[in-house]
Amino acid sequence: MQPRAILLGLLIGCLLCFTNLYFGLQTGWISMMSLQSALIGFLISRMLPTPLTPQENVVVQTTAAATGTMPLAAGFVGIIPALGLLDPTKDGALPVSLSWLGSIGWSCAVAYFGVFMSPPIRKQVIIEERLPFPSGTATAQLISVLHKLPPASETQVRQRKGYSALETEETPEEAVGDDDEDDETVRDHVRESDTEMERTVRTAGWHALAWSFLASGALTLFAYFFPFVFTIPLFGEYLAKNWLFTFSPSLSYVGQGIIMGFPTALSMNLGMIVGWGILSPLSKKMGWAPGPVGDMTTGARGWILWTSLAIMCADSVVSLVPVIWEAVAKLARRARRGPDDVFDKGDHNEVETEDRLVPLNWVLWGLGASCVLGTFLVWLVFGHEGIKPWATFIGFVMGALLSILGVRALGETDLNPVSGLGKISQLLFAVIQPGNVVANIIAGGVAEAGAMQAGDLMQDLKTGHLIQASPRAQFYGQILGSTLSIFVTVSAFTLYSRAYPIPGPTFPAPTAYVWLGLARLLRDGELPNKSALFMLFSALLFGALSALKTLGARRGARWTAYLPSGVAFAIGFLNTPSFSLARLVGGIVELLYRRARGYGHGDIGLVVVASGFVLGEGVVSIISLALRTFGVGVASCWGCGHGMCGGCPA
């Protein structure tokens, strides 16, 4: 079971859990941090009497990811705040505010279904179809370099079992000929790059992680006492006060920009320019959004939310079309070949022994128990008027189907379209329980939780497959990580909600308005003035872009990198400009650094620094929370005349 690896993963995961809740409530964006968890686990293990093995490092990052992603899986960055925004006159239901115990019950209801879905999906998409899962493969390659293993690849895994090279379908990167001088040059380059990565991590890793962590934490603490630091009116007081254009020099958001990369950060900022620089002033000037710009109901921020929602749905749904088509085509081919081929092929390709796999009876009992117990807990927490038990059960079934789609999309494109999958579930429940906004949000949350967990945990199973870690040990880590994270996430959210209004200036929880907005639209069909036209145009545009991007990526076309990501573009609408601008700084740093150093493994030092930046603010936010709870306020409100400083009175 590898207890020390699981314990270390739980420790790292708790830090990620606080960090993801903090940033998720601010911007709606969280990160699995699998690669970063593996890197931090390796650095910590160097202080142990016996360093971690590569397989233990896989268990560390698997456990950390399962622990750290619960804020999104259980809906604490979107669904729970959305239920608190319910209005009896608009929604026919009172606001739902869960107690600590009620939040625990809800989290337990959705925490395990996706975990038990993982083993059977693993057999299909990792063992039989061998989908690439780019982030999981990248993490495996990092671990192999840190622990001086041969480069992680599907060919290496299958050769361990006794397959010859002729029996494997090598990718172009793996099919290196022995007699080709160019191939030898490539191998030399890879060896040099790997040596540089190893030297960087072993000699400077701790120092880089420590100083970046301390720098980000110190700046965060300083900004707590002097809020002006994170709300600089970069474009003047007028734009800051009236149009919310400020700049936050937060090192954590710079680190996020480094991790997400320049293309994603650029897409986010293009969305920010269109949403906040064009559509926001237009809606205000034309009288479509007469309220204050920052108001989510009558202001421009609430008006552009609908365009953002249309972009996210169009991008996610269109990107799923080829995944659905291929899945249906494969099922049809297997049905024609007969049932024996369907089952025997997967067993033949399995590289693990039975004692290292998750037994089938565990999976069946786990899925059954999580569905039944989850249905009961949801009924217990929200009552019969919230959502009918039979409807909750359908939500779990829907979640299982959507999980398969999400996993396949993630395996092929490195993007898990959970936002779009949740919206699909909301559309279905508008028919199953029409007019019930609470049921619509809850059912969408149930489906999203399963799809999100099954998809993101599959990245870790891909890493474990390439490094030959035990799937059963990873399963233990996922179960224990999810269990601990329930209590950490609920307790942290309870403390934050007592110290700050959620949604509020410090934690706007932008995705809460997305969930509630779609539920209201499906209930009464009313849209803000003139927003339908912009929603239709943006949905058609980004649906077409998503189709081009998906088709081009499947053919290996490089030009797809120049097309904007629809989800990232839409996030630029949801967040105020300060968050997007800071991420752009990080994206530019990543671009310049990689161009200067080359696009090899030499940029791992930058990943270490970015990880320290992100964790520094996330961890020190716990100190800020404690100060706020005990009544310790800001030291000075100097410079906050624009009214955008969260800790100062407007």
Side-chain angles (χ1 to χ4, degrees), residues 9-299:
L10 291 174
L11 174 63
I12 297 172
C14 286
L15 298 181
L16 294 179
C17 187
F18 266 97
T19 301
N20 279 332
L21 181 62
Y22 175 79
F23 293 125
L25 287 172
Q26 283 191 338
T27 68
W29 186 283
I30 76 165
S31 174
M32 270 189 71
M33 299 278 285
S34 290
L35 187 146
Q36 290 75 21
S37 297
L39 188 59
I40 295 169
F42 175 80
L43 292 174
I44 294 176
S45 75
R46 294 180 63 199
M47 299 188 300
L48 301 177
T50 304
L52 294 174
T53 65
Q55 291 73 29
E56 285 180 311
N57 205 346
V58 171
V59 175
V60 167
Q61 62 92 21
T62 300
T63 307
T67 310
T69 54
M70 188 56 67
L72 178 60
F76 284 92
V77 301
I79 295 167
I80 301 302
L83 292 172
L85 291 170
L86 292 174
D87 186 336
T89 60
K90 294 181 179 180
D91 309 310
L94 293 171
V96 177
S97 180
L98 299 182
S99 64
W100 184 87
L101 190 59
S103 298
I104 292 289
W106 157 253
S107 300
C108 289
V110 298
Y112 301 109
F113 180 72
V115 177
F116 284 104
M117 282 287 297
S118 297
I121 298 178
R122 169 194 173 272
K123 184 176 180 180
Q124 176 63 30
V125 300
I126 293 179
I127 302 304
E128 183 174 342
E129 298 182 37
R130 289 175 289 181
L131 297 184
F133 288 95
S135 291
T137 301
T139 304
Q141 291 169 347
L142 171 68
I143 293 174
S144 68
V145 170
L146 295 178
H147 293 272
K148 300 182 179 179
L149 296 177
S153 69
E154 192 68 44
T155 301
Q156 290 283 346
V157 172
R158 294 172 65 80
Q159 285 177 344
R160 292 190 197 114
K161 189 185 176 186
Y163 286 81
S164 69
L166 294 176
E167 293 176 308
T168 62
E169 297 178 10
E170 295 179 335
T171 63
E173 292 82 1
E174 295 168 346
V176 179
D178 292 335
D179 299 325
D180 194 319
E181 182 178 350
D182 291 337
D183 291 338
E184 185 61 36
T185 302
V186 171
R187 280 197 293 270
D188 289 341
H189 173 73
V190 171
R191 282 195 291 268
E192 291 173 3
S193 183
D194 289 349
T195 301
E196 182 180 358
M197 179 201 288
E198 181 185 344
R199 183 169 57 250
T200 299
V201 175
R202 290 180 181 274
T203 59
W206 259 121
H207 298 291
L209 185 67
W211 74 253
S212 58
F213 180 96
L214 292 174
S216 179
L219 182 61
T220 302
L221 196 59
F222 184 76
Y224 176 83
F225 291 107
F226 301 93
F228 167 77
V229 173
F230 276 0
T231 52
I232 297 174
L234 190 64
F235 306 102
E237 289 279 348
Y238 174 79
L239 288 179
K241 186 172 184 177
N242 295 283
W243 299 102
L244 311 187
F245 269 87
T246 62
F247 174 66
S248 174
S250 164
L251 292 178
S252 64
Y253 286 105
V254 173
Q256 287 184 14
I258 293 172
I259 292 171
M260 68 176 56
F262 177 73
T264 303
L266 180 62
S267 294
M268 193 175 292
N269 277 267
L270 289 175
M272 180 271 292
I273 292 172
V274 172
W276 291 92
I278 299 175
L279 296 184
S280 175
L282 178 65
S283 64
K284 181 76 172 178
K285 179 176 178 59
M286 299 300 294
W288 304 332
V293 170
D295 190 277
M296 293 295 290
T297 303
T298 61

